[in-house]
């Protein structure tokens, strides 16, 4: 069972009781001063309190009973002097008493059922209910005593009036108790419904929080995994970046120092290719595979016949510039030899001033001499031989 803080309720109950005591005292004084009837029903109505509460206050109860009895004795003495013809018949009074007692029994039964139901709802006996039962027992004993005393009185009118008044008071009290217990029962049901709703909300909130906690754990796990992957990728990037930086630095060093790849240098040395700055720059500007192919072309031409290759460096430069590849046919080799010789002859003849330009027509090379006339290369080269031009022509 839930433990609730009842200090505020207890403080409110004390304030309510003090206020009820003051109102009750004022009501009793007012009724006594105005010489009105004083009983539990009248005082309860005047003070705005319940009869049950009046019965539970021992001092107030005794005072009301004392004032009521004094008024009753006084009224009885007055009624003794009334004529006999004004006294109601004892049979009529008896019928009224029986009817009122039956009504009292019915109300007591209903109130007992309500008290038992409230005890089941609370799960334990209510101290207020126990106190109410004790008060009712005291009241019952008091009524029996007064009834016994009055039954010995010869004045039937006084007896009937007293019993009638007390029975009406009892009925009013029981009806008030019934109304209060019904209201209390309704309030208890509402409190139980609210508690059940709060418990359901707390359970739902607990489930929601649990799900959120699980989701957060999954996200944290995924985040850790992602962080780990990012760290590994960053390390790989750093390694790659370091390698790239090293390669770039090596390239810069090679360019700044005019240094070639060791394999290219060794191959050039093996083939007898003389390297100068312009040829080195050309090699660096071409793809590595193209450089190797050009070296292979030179090597292939040398294998055919070294006498046919007049300038290895010139052959290598031409093969590199034109992207030649090895393993060509004899016709291709012959054409290449002619072209190689022509280019060397043309450079020397132009420097010497005997030709201006050249062109190819139908796989034939023709050159324009210094007079503007177009002449076949074979005729021009026979007049101006390559050996002669090598001796007399100076490259610009």
């Amino acid at each position: 069972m839930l433990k609730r803080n009842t200090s505020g309720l207890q403080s409110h109950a004390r304030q309510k009781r003090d206020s009820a005591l003051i109102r009750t005292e004022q009501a009793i004084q007012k009724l006594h001063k105005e010489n009105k009837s004083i009983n539990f029903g009248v005082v309860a109505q005047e003070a705005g309190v319940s009869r049950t509460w009046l019965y539970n206050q021992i001092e107030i109860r005794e005072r009301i009973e004392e004032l009521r009895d004094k008024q009753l004795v006084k009224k009885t003495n007055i009624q003794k002097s009334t004529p006999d013809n004004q006294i109601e018949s004892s049979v009529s009074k008896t019928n009224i008493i029986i009817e009122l007692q039956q009504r009292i029994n019915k109300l007591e039964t209903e109130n007992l059922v309500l008290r038992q139901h409230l005890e089941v709802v609370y799960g334990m006996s209510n101290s207020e209910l126990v106190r109410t039962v004790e008060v009712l027992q005291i009241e019952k004993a008091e009524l029996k005593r007064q009834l016994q005393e009055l039954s010995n009185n010869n004045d039937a009118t006084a007896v009937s009036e007293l019993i009638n008044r007390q029975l009406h008071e009892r009925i009013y009290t029981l009806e008030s108790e019934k109304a209060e217990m019904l209201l209390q029962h309704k309030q208890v049901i509402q409190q139980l419904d609210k508690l059940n709703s709060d418990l359901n909300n707390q359970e739902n909130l607990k489930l929601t929080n649990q799900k959120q906690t699980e989701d957060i754990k999954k996200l944290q796990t995924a985040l850790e995994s992602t962080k780990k992957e990012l760290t590994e990728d960053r390390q790989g990037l750093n390694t790659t970046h370091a390698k790239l930086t090293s390669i770039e630095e090596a390239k810069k060093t090679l360019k700044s120092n005019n240094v070639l790849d060791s394999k290219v240098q060794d191959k050039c040395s093996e083939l007898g290719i003389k390297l100068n700055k312009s040829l080195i720059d050309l090699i660096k500007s071409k793809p590595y595979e193209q450089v190797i192919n050009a070296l292979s072309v030179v090597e292939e031409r040398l294998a055919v016949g070294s006498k046919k290759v007049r300038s290895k460096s010139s052959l290598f430069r031409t093969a590199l510039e034109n992207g030649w590849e090895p393993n060509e046919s004899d016709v291709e080799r012959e054409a290449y030899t002619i072209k190689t010789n022509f280019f060397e002859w043309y450079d020397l003849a132009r420097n010497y001033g005997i030709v201006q330009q050249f062109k190819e027509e139908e796989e034939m090379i023709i050159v324009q001499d210094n007079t503007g006339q177009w002449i076949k290369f074979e005729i021009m080269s026979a007049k101006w031989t390559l050996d002669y031009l090598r001796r007399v022509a100076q490259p610009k």
Side-chain angles (χ1 to χ4, degrees), residues 336-348 357-360 365-367 377 386:
Y336 170 75
T337 302
I338 294 173
K339 286 185 178 181
T340 301
N341 292 334
F342 166 75
F343 285 120
E344 184 181 0
W345 178 90
Y346 177 77
D347 289 338
L348 293 173
Q357 55 183 333
F358 77 94
K359 61 182 179 179
E360 294 186 30
I365 301 175
I366 58 178
V367 297
F377 168 65
L386 182 60

Side-chain angles (χ1 to χ4, degrees), residues 12 23 42 44 52 70 189 228 242 360 368:
H12 178 70
R23 295 198 307 274
V42 176
T52 303
K70 287 181 179 181
I189 295 300
K228 184 177 179 181
E360 294 186 30
Q368 187 181 39

Side-chain angles (χ1 to χ4, degrees), residues 47-63:
V49 297
S50 66
R51 292 191 180 195
T52 303
W53 185 83
L54 291 176
Y55 283 121
N56 287 334
Q57 313 305 315
I58 298 176
E59 295 181 359
I60 294 177
R61 185 184 68 195
E62 292 177 350
R63 185 176 179 188

Side-chain angles (χ1 to χ4, degrees), residues 208-224:
T208 301
N209 292 336
Q210 184 177 0
K211 186 176 183 304
Q212 290 178 348
T213 303
E214 293 176 355
D215 292 341
I216 290 173
K217 288 182 178 179
K218 291 180 181 178
L219 289 175
Q220 289 177 344
T221 303
L223 181 60
E224 291 297 328

Side-chain angles (χ1 to χ4, degrees), residues 345 377-385:
W345 178 90
F377 168 65
E378 289 82 355
I379 298 173
M380 195 70 175
S381 61
K383 182 179 179 180
W384 301 90
T385 64

Side-chain angles (χ1 to χ4, degrees), residues 176-221:
S176 299
E177 291 177 357
K178 179 180 178 180
E180 290 179 1
M181 284 189 288
L182 286 173
L183 178 61
Q184 186 178 10
H185 177 265
K186 182 178 179 181
Q187 292 174 347
V188 169
I189 295 300
Q190 291 176 349
Q191 291 176 358
L192 288 176
D193 291 340
K194 187 176 183 303
L195 287 174
N196 288 331
S197 178
D198 293 341
L199 288 174
N200 291 332
N201 292 336
Q202 291 179 0
E203 187 66 24
N204 293 334
L205 182 61
K206 182 179 179 181
L207 293 175
T208 301
N209 292 336
Q210 184 177 0
K211 186 176 183 304
Q212 290 178 348
T213 303
E214 293 176 355
D215 292 341
I216 290 173
K217 288 182 178 179
K218 291 180 181 178
L219 289 175
Q220 289 177 344
T221 303

Side-chain angles (χ1 to χ4, degrees), residues 253-260 265 277 280-281 284:
T253 303
L254 289 173
K255 288 183 179 180
S256 62
N257 296 332
N258 291 329
V259 178
L260 294 176
Q265 285 184 328
K277 185 177 184 304
I280 291 174
D281 293 338
K284 289 182 178 180

